[in-house]
Amino acid sequence: MLFIRILALLLGLLAICAGLFVAFQGTGVLKWPHDSIMVGQRAWAIRGVVLAMVGAIVVWLARRA
């Protein structure tokens, strides 16, 4: 059971990082790589925030158990 909690915690943290990366690209804060289709696109910003929130919930559940 400890292995599953650690795995969930790591996946949640990875989802938070990926979500923030996508959200920052979608808002135009992070413009790397320059030729990315996500830069400055509101839809990607929303998807990134949702992914980060799902990751935060997974981390919260993993820490709570």
Side-chain angles (χ1 to χ4, degrees):
M1 195 66 182
L2 179 63
F3 175 73
I4 294 173
R5 284 181 55 199
I6 293 172
L7 183 63
L9 184 67
L10 290 174
L11 288 175
L13 291 173
L14 181 64
I16 291 171
C17 291
L20 290 176
F21 179 78
V22 172
F24 286 150
Q25 273 196 328
T27 58
V29 172
L30 181 64
K31 296 181 180 177
W32 179 83
H34 296 289
D35 59 347
S36 176
I37 62 168
M38 294 188 291
V39 174
Q41 299 294 322
R42 183 178 173 164
W44 285 105
I46 293 169
R47 290 175 185 144
V49 169
V50 169
L51 179 59
M53 288 177 14
V54 169
I57 291 170
V58 169
V59 168
W60 177 68
L61 289 173
R63 299 273 302 156
R64 199 180 82 143

